[in-house]
Structures are given as C-alpha cells and as structure tokens.
Amino acid sequence: MEQPLLGSETPDYETFPERPDQQQEQNYIRTLKNKRLFLATFAAVLGNFSFGYALVYTSPVIPALERSPNPALQMNKTESSWFGSVFTLGAAAGGLSAMVLNDLLGRKLSIMFSAVPSVIGYALMAGAQGLWMLLLGRILTGFAGGLTAACIPVYVSEISHPGVRGALGATPQIMAVFGSLLLYALGLKMPWRWLAVAGEVPVFIMMVLLCFMPNSPRFLLSQGKEEEALKALAWLRGNDTDFQREFQQIQNSVQKQSSRLSWTELRDPFIYKPIAIAVLMRFLQQLTGVTPILVYLQSIFHSTAVLLPPEEDAAIVGAMRLVSVLIAAVTMDRAGRKILLFVSGYAMGWGPITWLLMSEILPLKARGVASGLCVLVSWLTAFMLTKSFLLVENAFGLQVPFYFFAAVCLVNLVFTACCVPETRRRSLEQIESFFRTGRRSFLR
C-alpha cells in the first residue's frame, strides 16, 4: 500500500534511503520546543481561514440576492452561477501569480501580499451597489485565496520538522473549514453585507502576526541568506537545541539544487514525477465536486426534502467537516497519509492530505513554481464544475452531478493505490531522496 506505481527503473526499487542515524533524529525531535513553530503556523494559516470563509460566502448570499428587492442586485440563475464560480477564476489567477511570487518574494511575503486583494474584495462586496461590484469582489478574494493556497502549505511544510509536519500540514485545511463554518454560523444572524465586513478581521490579524514571524529557512538559504536562515531556524526550534545539525542537512539539500529549474530538467524523473503526482492530486480532488457543493450548499438543501432550514443544514455540514479534519490532523502522523486517503471521506482525507502531500513531495528547486501550477489546475477545474453545476442540475436533476462525483471517487482510490507515496515521519530531504534514488528501505 505504501508503494507508488511510478516505479523504479532498477530492481532494487525502494521508497526512501537508509537512515542509520534515524534514532538520533528521533531523539533530536523530542528535544525541540514547538511553541514558536505553532505560532508561526497559526499566523500563516489565518490566510486559509479567510480563504474558507470567502469560498462559501455565496452559500447564504445567493438565496438572499435572488429575493432582493433591489433590481440592481437581484440575481437570476445564470448570474448566480457566475457569482458562485468567478471566485475560482480568481483563485486560478492567484495560483498563476504564486508561480512567480513564491520564489520572488518568498513564502511569507507572498502570504502577506494576499491581504491586499482580500481587503479590497471584501470592501467591494460590503458596499456593492451593482452586480459588477459583487463579481469583482469575488474575483479579488478568490485571487487572494489562490495565492495563499499555493504559498501557505509550502511555508508550513518548510518551517516544520517530521515530528509535527503531518499535524501542522493539516492546519491549512482545518482553518479553511473553520472559516467556512464561521460563515455558515454568522449567516444565520447577519445580513450579507455585514458578512463581508466580518471577513476583513482575520486578514488584518494575519498581517500583524506575520510581521513578527520568520521566513522559511529553506527559502532564505536558496537566496544565499545563510545567517538569516540560521537565525530563523534557531527561533523556530529553540536556541538550546541541536538545530545546527538540521541546518546543515537543509543547507546540503539546498546546495544540490542551487540553480533555477530549467526546461531540460523537467525530463528528469526526480522533477517530473512528484510534480505529476501533485498536479493530478489537485485535479482529482476538485473533480470530487467539493467546491460546487460548498458554494451552492444552501441552494442544494433548498432543492431536497430536508427537515431543517437549509441554512441550519449548511452549518451542520460545516461542523462535521471541522470535526473530520481535526481527526485527520491527530491521526495523520500515526496512521499515515495514504491509509487516510483510502478509508476516509473528503474532510479527513482528500481535503487536508492532498495539500500536505503537495508541499512535501515537490522538490525544492520546483516548489514555488509547481505549487502555483497545482493551484492553477485545481481552480480552473473548480471553475468548470462550479459554473456548470446549477445548469446541469436544472437540466438533468441533482442526481446526475452526484453520480459523476461518485465515479471520480472510485478513480481516486486507484490513483492513490498506484501513484501516491507514503511520506509519514520522513524529512523533506528524505522525500527528495526517494524520488531521486527510488529506494524504500524505511518500510522495514
């Protein structure tokens, strides 16, 4: 189960290289102080909170605007489908921008930059006097979400260590789910304009906290800033720990990939295999239909014979997603990534784990560009599904898109079994060694 299909060309194919000093590394991990690491992670993933909030903003707002007495704001089904789907176009543009900004500004500054379109977008929706302001606000908040979706998992993965990387890797999804849940809860009481105003709050908190957080030591080393990288790692791990040893390992890995990615290198299996796996994971994750379901959740409940009001059903779904992703965070480093992809639903498996695996398996040389590519593919797919969902439902009924989503889930099981490697308790340097050498001796 832990063996990928993208196999080795040699008979001694294995997943990771032998680690004779594995016990020493485990002892080192036990000495680390994680409080500052947790704080830096929290500061970053507030961007995911805002992303989750903005993604489902349309769920309570579309029904309200379809009944709006203001002709300038009243929406028909076609306009509702655009209002629901343009967010994903903005997210795709954000992913495209991340391909440049992730390596140009760095992970932390790219996350901070996302606050600008986010604040403007929420302000436009809060003060909207026409449909164009609502659509532009959705595009801008989507752009911010796509940028953070590409940058935050990479930042969290690069500042973490193997002892907590699985749990922390789930925090972007946890915060996105929590942001969605808060939107559903506030939607029970707040008018739609005030929902947009409330969305500004986590963005400002994120900006303030990130001002005091370090950048990724791996990124700083890739920029030749060794002293700054050493200080960043010391701050994250604690000055009285043996962080110098970890710093040397990171430095050695960065030096092997000091040059920029070239087109000819894309033919190297060490580069193209992890990128192909990550992109396909993002594509298949979106094909499960999670985005259109969340965007139109209240509208979906309106068309079904449920007992509770649709807005309360949406809040219940949000609560269950939060519980599921919390369980995933606790079990990911114990059960492993791959087994959860098999046995769990979206919120426990294909939601948090695919983002984590993306940030883990991409080689450092290609991490900034490839993570942006993953987000671009993900949200272009989401746009096609979200734009067509209401039209398909009206033409053929609600069951047709859900049959399609179920079929995709079966494909995902085959893809997981054949192509996805297990990365539990492996450092990023070991994971790179797996794709470079094709050895899996750690499975003993």
Side-chain angles (χ1 to χ4, degrees):
M1 184 176 290
E2 295 180 340
Q3 223 174 318
L5 177 69
L6 299 179
S8 171
E9 299 171 356
T10 60
D12 62 339
Y13 169 71
E14 298 187 5
T15 304
F16 287 100
E18 189 75 48
R19 289 298 307 270
D21 56 345
Q22 192 170 1
Q23 186 60 47
Q24 184 180 1
E25 183 155 333
Q26 293 300 318
N27 291 337
Y28 164 66
I29 289 173
R30 283 192 285 268
T31 66
L32 296 179
K33 299 175 181 178
N34 294 318
K35 289 183 179 180
R36 289 178 175 176
L37 172 59
F38 293 162
L39 178 60
T41 300
F42 173 75
V45 298
L46 281 172
N48 292 102
F49 180 95
S50 181
F51 173 62
Y53 187 98
L55 174 64
V56 301
Y57 176 75
T58 52
S59 180
V61 174
I62 285 177
L65 291 178
E66 287 178 340
R67 301 188 302 268
S68 175
N70 184 347
L73 295 172
Q74 193 175 62
M75 291 183 180
N76 57 35
K77 285 295 181 183
T78 301
E79 290 167 337
S80 295
S81 70
W82 277 110
F83 186 46
S85 60
V86 291
F87 179 92
T88 58
L89 281 182
L96 188 64
S97 300
M99 296 173 70
V100 177
L101 295 178
N102 228 341
D103 290 327
L104 182 65
L105 299 180
R107 291 49 159 144
K108 188 187 85 165
L109 289 180
S110 296
I111 299 169
M112 296 177 72
F113 175 77
S114 72
V116 177
S118 186
V119 167
I120 297 173
Y122 280 126
L124 281 169
M125 290 189 289
Q129 299 302 312
L131 182 60
W132 72 270
M133 294 181 71
L134 290 169
L135 294 178
L136 182 56
R138 285 287 284 168
I139 291 172
L140 288 173
T141 53
F143 180 90
L147 185 56
T148 56
C151 300
I152 293 174
V154 174
Y155 177 74
V156 172
S157 179
E158 289 188 349
I159 66 174
S160 302
H161 56 79
V164 296
R165 198 176 62 244
L168 294 186
T171 55
Q173 185 71 11
I174 290 173
M175 293 298 281
V177 171
F178 190 58
S180 299
L181 176 59
L182 181 64
L183 185 282
Y184 293 137
L186 292 179
L188 297 173
K189 300 292 183 182
M190 277 188 177
W192 63 271
R193 291 188 189 275
W194 282 102
L195 290 176
V197 173
E200 305 271 17
V201 176
V203 180
F204 284 113
I205 297 174
M206 178 193 75
M207 279 288 292
V208 172
L209 288 179
L210 280 177
C211 289
F212 302 97
M213 300 300 114
N215 213 323
S216 157
R218 287 174 175 83
F219 170 75
L220 292 171
L221 280 171
S222 71
Q223 301 298 301
K225 301 176 181 178
E226 293 189 11
E227 185 176 345
E228 191 176 344
L230 185 62
K231 289 180 180 178
L233 190 63
W235 189 90
L236 291 165
R237 302 291 186 259
N239 287 309
D240 56 346
T241 63
D242 187 22
F243 65 88
Q244 290 277 3
R245 179 173 170 274
E246 182 184 358
F247 180 79
Q248 187 62 51
Q249 292 174 344
I250 297 172
Q251 193 173 40
N252 292 340
S253 176
V254 170
Q255 287 173 351
K256 292 177 184 177
Q257 304 180 60
S258 57
S259 60
R260 289 187 176 274
L261 182 68
S262 65
W263 285 106
T264 56
E265 288 178 300
L266 288 175
R267 292 178 292 182
D268 186 346
F270 164 62
I271 299 293
Y272 77 73
K273 283 183 179 180
I275 293 177
I277 292 172
V279 170
L280 282 170
M281 278 195 303
R282 304 303 311 139
F283 176 67
L284 290 171
Q285 187 217 41
Q286 284 295 347
L287 283 183
T288 62
V290 61
T291 299
I293 290 172
L294 293 176
V295 167
Y296 303 122
L297 194 55
Q298 284 192 207
S299 299
I300 290 171
F301 281 123
H302 266 294
S303 62
T304 58
V306 291
L307 297 177
L308 295 174
E311 56 272 18
E312 293 183 14
D313 288 313
I316 292 172
V317 170
M320 292 307 299
R321 288 181 66 217
L322 181 60
V323 171
S324 297
V325 77
L326 287 172
I327 294 173
V330 172
T331 58
M332 203 179 298
D333 278 327
R334 298 177 182 178
R337 284 72 156 140
K338 195 164 181 175
I339 189 66
L340 287 179
L341 289 177
F342 273 112
V343 304
S344 63
Y346 178 87
M348 277 184 63
W350 278 83
I353 293 175
T354 53
W355 286 112
L356 171 62
L357 280 169
M358 179 196 78
S359 63
E360 288 182 325
I361 67 177
L362 292 175
L364 177 63
K365 180 179 289 190
R367 198 168 289 157
V369 172
S371 62
L373 176 63
C374 288
V375 173
L376 175 64
V377 170
S378 175
W379 292 109
L380 285 178
T381 307
F383 169 74
M384 291 185 290
L385 290 173
T386 309
K387 184 68 181 71
S388 61
F389 183 86
L390 291 180
L391 304 177
V392 172
E393 179 195 357
N394 289 337
F396 304 105
L398 192 59
Q399 71 276 9
V400 171
F402 278 89
Y403 282 141
F404 173 76
F405 300 151
V408 171
C409 290
L410 293 177
V411 174
N412 288 355
L413 290 177
V414 177
F415 173 77
T416 300
C418 296
C419 302
V420 178
E422 178 58 72
T423 59
R424 179 173 64 111
R425 295 178 183 171
R426 299 298 108 188
S427 69
L428 297 184
E429 287 66 44
Q430 287 176 281
I431 296 169
E432 287 190 0
S433 294
F434 156 49
F435 285 105
R436 192 183 296 277
T437 66
R439 297 179 61 82
R440 59 180 182 86
S441 55
F442 83 99
L443 293 179
R444 285 199 265 277

